[in-house]
Amino acid sequence: MTAAQATPAKISVSYGKVFRLAWPASVAASVTPLLGAIDVWALAQSARPLDIAAVGLGAVIFSLAYWTFGFLRMSVAGLTAQAVGAEDETEARATLARGVMIAGAIGIALVLLQWPIGQIAFQLLGTGSEASAETLASGRTYFNIRIWGAPFALASYCAFGWLTARGRTDYLMAASVFITALNILLDYWFVVGLGWGAAGVATGTLIAEVAGFFATAFFVLTTLKKHGGIRNNWRPSEFFMATRIKRTISINVDIFIRTLLLAFSFSWFVQRGGAFGDVTLAANQALLQLFLFTGLAIDGTAIAAETLAGQALGAKDKARGLAIYKSAVRRTFELALAAALLFMAFYWLAGDQVLALLTPEGPIRETMQTYMPWVIISPLIVMAGFQLDGIFVGATRSRELRDAIILSTVVFIPASLWLAGPFGNHGLWAAFSIYFLIRAVALGVWLPRIKKTFET
């Protein structure tokens, strides 16, 4: 008898359970681009509104760096969820320790190599761009300040993945809201109050990232205390077990490539926007925050799927695990679709009011209004890809995640050049949307592979 035949028919994941995992994760995910929107608002109210473009250029470097190393959060989340499903507390803690050690080392390396990284990055960002020398200089100032928070930000990413896998999305939300609230207060003080422009945004972000690390560490310790105590179930010898390290490296390499290409594509989108001048670059940067906000707000159901799929795959009873997995996929997709439709309706009805909150009257807002339709339809465009990402991360199917992004990127780069010629910035947004759709289609085709795992 196969696992599928032995599955108890009544085992399922309730909407309530998915919602309890999803809504705190949605809040946590959405506050990051919300912070970007606050940066835009603060700079728009200051005497240096075109520093919005400078922050866009500087921030894209951190998107590239942090998203590239986002494999740390994903691998920690997937492996921890499976350890929790298998009731292996020792491995759950070892996964956290491995992740934080790797993250800290990478963060320190970024700080030590900041000069060559900055030189290369701004040389590339300035190539073929119409951004002014002043904008590029302000972007470099932003980079030089914020880079010092890299070790803290990356270590926090690992802790976020670990908390998610343990079902503590409420702690994830609390830490994220704390970081964002602190950053908003500092933004207002440094940018609007003191007039520091891009340097003020960077300083506020640096302080918030360091403080956020300590807040996240507190929540990790609280979780450990509830699962056997802070000092128990630690076996340092298992941190470096050859088989576990080999599996971790294999997953991390695939997700590293996937995330590097994802971050590169976002960077390419921002850089190509610079070809249309400072105003379009600033407008794209502001709209990108809304694009990310809607996508990541919907991502809460993907994080729920990540947790539930990982725990189902780790379950010792494969029949039960399969039933939970199938129910989790169905329930999370249904809630994600409902959320996407709600966000579309919101932006369609209140889009002009949202833009008015972000920027004052002027050329930047007028340009944003021209391209706002792409943000309105974005929830449906990104929903399926984000949702499938969560399922594949929980299943630690890193090869499929990598291959889907490779395929999407191979199409996106030439499409952006081809469509931007006759259609300008609209063509760039169209290519960006196609990028997300191709990723979703590829992962959808490969989704049945995960189900087969329960039958082996």
Side-chain angles (χ1 to χ4, degrees), residues 33 58 176 274 277 445:
S176 299
V445 169

Side-chain angles (χ1 to χ4, degrees), residues 400-416:
E400 287 87 350
L401 289 168
R402 178 200 66 193
D403 292 347
I405 289 295
I406 291 174
L407 177 62
S408 300
T409 306
V410 166
V411 174
F412 170 56
I413 301 304
S416 66

Side-chain angles (χ1 to χ4, degrees), residues 20 31 61 135 170 190-192 232 280 282 285 287 312 318 320 329 358 375 390 402 410 423 431-432 435 451:
R20 284 192 297 273
V31 293
I61 300 172
T135 292
D170 53 341
F190 294 145
V191 178
V192 179
N232 299 325
T280 300
Q285 170 65 10
L287 290 174
K318 292 300 181 182
R320 180 181 177 85
V329 170
L358 288 176
V375 174
R402 178 200 66 193
V410 166
F423 302 110
F432 199 48
Y435 170 79
K451 184 179 176 182

Side-chain angles (χ1 to χ4, degrees), residues 186-201:
L186 294 173
D187 260 7
Y188 187 84
W189 181 19
F190 294 145
V191 178
V192 179
L194 300 180
W196 289 1
V201 172

Side-chain angles (χ1 to χ4, degrees), residues 172-418:
L172 174 66
M173 177 185 68
S176 299
V177 169
F178 168 75
I179 294 169
T180 302
L182 177 59
N183 209 335
I184 289 172
L185 291 173
L186 294 173
D187 260 7
Y188 187 84
W189 181 19
F190 294 145
V191 178
V192 179
L194 300 180
W196 289 1
V201 172
T203 303
T205 303
L206 169 62
I207 295 172
E209 284 176 342
V210 174
F213 167 78
F214 289 104
T216 305
F218 168 78
F219 289 122
V220 167
L221 291 175
T222 301
T223 304
L224 290 172
K225 187 176 181 180
K226 293 179 179 179
H227 291 274
I230 295 174
R231 297 183 179 181
N232 299 325
N233 296 307
W234 294 103
R235 296 178 189 169
S237 61
E238 296 198 9
F239 297 175
F240 306 103
M241 286 181 62
T243 55
R244 300 290 171 86
I245 290 176
K246 183 178 179 181
R247 185 186 183 202
T248 300
I249 290 174
S250 175
I251 293 170
N252 281 340
V253 168
D254 287 336
I255 300 181
F256 171 80
I257 295 170
R258 171 259 186 202
T259 315
L260 176 63
L261 290 174
L262 180 63
F264 170 77
S265 297
F266 272 83
S267 303
W268 177 266
F269 174 80
V270 173
Q271 198 274 345
R272 286 292 84 204
F276 304 110
D278 282 352
V279 172
T280 300
L281 176 60
N284 277 0
Q285 170 65 10
L287 290 174
L288 186 60
Q289 304 311 313
L290 297 178
F291 187 95
L292 289 171
F293 174 76
T294 53
L296 294 177
I298 295 170
D299 198 39
T301 53
I303 292 174
E306 179 181 303
T307 301
L308 295 169
Q311 292 180 1
L313 281 161
K316 297 175 182 177
D317 184 339
K318 292 300 181 182
R320 180 181 177 85
L322 176 59
I324 293 172
Y325 167 78
K326 291 167 63 177
S327 178
V329 170
R330 183 173 63 255
R331 295 282 192 264
T332 54
F333 258 105
E334 290 168 352
L335 289 179
L337 177 59
L341 293 174
L342 285 174
F343 271 103
M344 285 184 64
F346 171 74
Y347 280 123
W348 181 55
L349 295 172
D352 287 343
Q353 290 82 353
V354 171
L355 298 185
L357 287 173
L358 288 176
T359 56
E361 288 282 359
I364 295 176
R365 191 201 292 186
E366 291 174 4
T367 304
M368 290 170 66
Q369 289 172 329
T370 300
Y371 302 108
M372 184 64 182
W374 294 106
V375 174
I376 294 175
I377 65 172
S378 66
L380 278 183
I381 290 173
V382 303
M383 180 274 295
F386 277 45
Q387 195 65 25
L388 288 163
D389 253 16
I391 296 168
F392 278 84
V393 167
T396 57
R397 302 289 299 210
S398 56
R399 183 174 298 178
E400 287 87 350
L401 289 168
R402 178 200 66 193
D403 292 347
I405 289 295
I406 291 174
L407 177 62
S408 300
T409 306
V410 166
V411 174
F412 170 56
I413 301 304
S416 66
L417 296 173
W418 179 59

